[in-house]
Amino acid sequence: ATLLIRRLASLGGSASLELSPAQACGKAKKGDITLNAAMNVVAAEGVPPMLHKGTRCFVNMIKKDCAHFNDVADACKALRSLGLQPVPHVPTCRFSTRSEADAVLDALCAAGATSVFVLGGNDQHARGGAGAFGSVGAALDAGVLMERTAQPAMRRVVLAGHPEGHPGLGRCPEKTMAVLLDKAERLMAAGRSI
């Protein structure tokens, strides 16, 4: 049992967590557990916290409107106040312009995010017209996250890997890897960590 406890504690030291903004902020529906509530129960029981300071907590973007980024920013603030590292999901298809993307990224930085998970978004093909960024590559082409002076606190960018191959690329692992490497190289050249 002691070995198992040590292994679980070790896993907890490197594990990450994914939450909705409501779960992170304590605004979940009745009966749903929130991170704050769980951490308070653990503290009240005198149990050492399973989430170490600095644990990465991915905050998903579950609604399809840009106004939802306010909830994501609130979640980043709440997680940072607990000593955790918020990593907000940023679906590029939600943005119609670079200035809109920059404003959201600035707000996420102000809320304490130093890392961001940038992805195309589940509805990227439906939103691909009218100036929307239909992919991460299109957002990078427009300059999002590409200038060293823009969002300097946003040091790390997480990219989706799709080891089985991206569905938009015919699930071809080779094409998927080529696109992933291109994005990573461009972001690293812009001073971002991947």
Side-chain angles (χ1 to χ4, degrees):
T2 304
L3 179 61
L4 177 60
I5 291 170
R6 279 191 296 219
R7 285 187 177 170
L8 288 173
S10 175
L11 175 64
S14 62
S16 64
L17 186 65
E18 182 172 337
L19 304 161
S20 71
Q23 290 169 317
C25 292
K27 299 176 187 174
K29 297 176 197 165
K30 186 176 180 179
D32 287 351
I33 191 156
T34 65
L35 183 61
N36 263 338
M39 291 181 82
N40 289 338
V41 167
V42 166
E45 296 292 324
V47 176
M50 292 306 285
L51 294 177
H52 301 286
K53 296 290 182 189
T55 295
R56 285 184 315 258
C57 294
F58 289 80
V59 181
N60 59 38
M61 171 83 181
I62 54 174
K63 296 180 183 174
K64 295 182 178 182
D65 59 279
C66 269
H68 186 53
F69 278 115
N70 294 329
D71 297 333
V72 174
D74 289 344
C76 289
K77 285 180 193 172
L79 292 168
R80 184 60 72 188
S81 74
L82 294 171
L84 304 172
Q85 181 186 350
V87 183
H89 288 201
V90 177
T92 60
C93 69
R94 301 293 192 272
F95 307 119
S96 296
T97 65
R98 176 175 170 192
S99 62
E100 189 176 48
D102 283 342
V104 166
L105 290 166
D106 289 341
L108 294 173
C109 286
T114 59
S115 298
V116 64
F117 177 36
V118 180
L119 61 159
N122 290 338
D123 59 337
Q124 63 185 325
H125 298 293
R127 295 179 53 106
F133 302 125
S135 68
V136 172
L140 298 179
D141 289 345
V144 175
L145 291 167
M146 296 304 292
E147 293 180 17
R148 292 176 192 269
T149 57
Q151 301 89 32
M154 195 67 68
R155 295 184 293 274
R156 171 163 287 179
V157 177
V158 178
L159 299 168
H162 298 284
E164 73 287 358
H166 190 283
L169 298 172
R171 297 212 179 274
C172 175
E174 293 80 14
K175 289 179 184 177
T176 302
M177 183 57 72
V179 169
L180 179 61
L181 287 173
D182 175 66
K183 290 185 282 194
E185 288 171 354
R186 292 167 66 190
L187 286 161
M188 289 188 305
R192 308 290 180 183
S193 171
I194 303 298

